[in-house]
Amino acid sequence: MTAIEPGRVVAVVGAGTMGQGIAQVALVSGHPVRLYDAVPGRAAQAAAAITGRLARLVEKGRLDAAARDAAGARLRPAAALAELADAALVVEAVLERLPVKQELFAALEEIVSDDCLLATNTSSLSVTAVAGALRAPGRFLGMHFFNPAPLLPLVEVVSGAATDGTAAERAYATALAWGKTPVRSADTPGFIVNRVARPFYAEALRVYEERAADPATIDAVLRECGGFRMGPFELTDLIGQDVNEAVTRSVWESFFQDPKFTPSLAQRRLVESGRLGRKSGGGWFAYGEGAEAAGPHTAAPEAAPGSVVVRGELFAAAALPDLIEEAGIGVVRKDEAVSGHPGWIELSDGTRLFLADGSAADDAGMPVIHFDLALDYREAARIALAPAAGVDGAALREAVGLFQALGKKVSVIGDVPGMIVARTVAMLVDFALDAASRGVATEEDIDTAMRLGVNYPRGPLDWGGRLGAWWVAGTLQSLHEEYPTGRYACSQALRRLAAAQEGPAS
């Protein structure tokens, strides 16, 4: 299927930030663009804003003056929907309210030609439901761009229950021709990104609600240990707490209040108080003139041990023994198999350092300190430690000194099951496997969507493959035992994959 030809008209309905971005993308790709908004005068204002951004691209050397002038000549604000009659594609970016979108597309259907594609940019509503009132729903689909649309490459091309395959392929080819990276998605709540990404926010909020760590520390651990571009608290402040909470609530309700998608009361209270993030001057953090940036909890410098014992295999943390030796600390390796469990690092007093596995450190019934999962232990700038209540203060200081000797900042957090990165990554992997097994999207498209749509350091399925399904399943099983609500129950896809793989000796 070929893309819509550059000379054909693309119409955008809704002249807000997202509508302007989509219009700019189509414009620089060679299309005449009609921009319409129901508020009188707003389309003309948006067209002027787009022209201004094109001029700035010329100043930055990203666009030549001739291309700017040609694009400006192709852009036309529309005063009425009837002016969109010659469009080959109409993309809607109006309020996230189902009746509003249904009414709009019912009106458009009477205006445009029968071969015009109709697309919604909705991020949370059902594409099938929006198309429900149309007489020809086969040409209707979702084209979910990410903000800012001119910069972010991902477009989720969403097929509703009645979408014709040819319409979806034409939209996919068009997004590709516009220089975007399209992925195909079924019409499921949240599509790919907003479905799979829910644990990134939810697990951080859960750790905060259990008073294991403050927002700045949680963000720092996910950034500097987990490799994520931004932490969930700073990211939701950027998105808008009201927007993020509304998407979470919409997905939860669309899945019939499945406990896996349960919203956060702490975030609800933030929204109710009007602390919506950067746009309101404060959310989880304060913004504006004179606001002080909140810093993470970082342990004071401590002395490193002279040597440690490493027993068994550390699997995901296998790089640590070499890093410890490179730091000049002696390592005695005991390679005998450890029945039923990965190995550990042992301090001089017998305190054991285990990779977080979904259980609380106190559950071990012995002096245990958990350390969090890292994207790359060599590159990680920070490590989180969670000691059991019975761990001696001297042993904790020794553990802190050990990781500081490796060049890491250390954050000591409360003994919360699964810590921060480990529980987040395990849930992301499980959500991605579940989505793939249910035909939401291919594994390749899911990983592409999560890397490009929300800048994850790895696609969750790639990450899960590196960790091993047995580790992910074991972590979630331990979390499920700690919180027997169904939130952490392994998906069928994960259970089957874990059963097919071999874990540590048992």
Side-chain angles (χ1 to χ4, degrees), residues 122-159:
T122 184
S123 61
S124 59
L125 297 177
S126 163
V127 170
T128 301
V130 177
L134 299 181
R135 58 177 171 77
R139 60 170 166 175
F140 186 84
L141 69 152
M143 291 185 73
H144 181 214
F145 291 77
F146 288 74
N147 193 30
L151 297 180
L152 293 186
L154 185 70
V155 178
E156 293 177 318
V157 178
V158 185
S159 294

Side-chain angles (χ1 to χ4, degrees), residues 322-418:
D322 288 345
L323 293 178
I324 293 170
E325 285 184 322
E326 291 169 16
I329 299 170
V331 175
V332 178
R333 299 175 190 253
K334 304 285 187 179
D335 293 331
E336 69 270 16
V338 181
S339 179
H341 206 293
W344 64 82
I345 300 169
E346 194 168 305
L347 302 179
S348 57
D349 72 340
T351 298
R352 298 178 179 184
L353 276 59
F354 284 103
L355 173 63
D357 61 359
S359 65
D362 274 336
D363 293 344
M366 65 181 72
V368 164
I369 301 172
H370 279 150
F371 59 89
D372 212 345
L373 177 70
L375 173 70
D376 182 329
Y377 282 99
R378 184 173 291 276
E379 300 298 326
R382 183 179 297 270
I383 294 291
L385 301 180
V391 169
D392 181 76
L396 177 58
R397 291 192 293 272
E398 190 173 307
V400 169
L402 172 65
F403 283 99
Q404 288 174 338
L406 308 187
K408 320 299 182 188
K409 296 176 182 177
V410 177
S411 292
V412 179
I413 69 170
D415 182 21
V416 61

Side-chain angles (χ1 to χ4, degrees), residues 192 196-197 228 424-433 443 445-451 454 456-467 472:
I192 301 172
V196 176
F228 293 92
T424 299
V425 170
M427 287 288 277
L428 290 172
V429 172
D430 190 46
F431 272 45
L433 282 169
E443 292 189 0
D445 275 358
I446 289 171
D447 272 0
T448 297
M450 301 314 293
R451 285 188 295 101
V454 278
Y456 284 4
R458 285 189 186 130
L461 294 168
D462 174 38
W463 211 337
R466 294 168 186 251
L467 291 169
V472 177

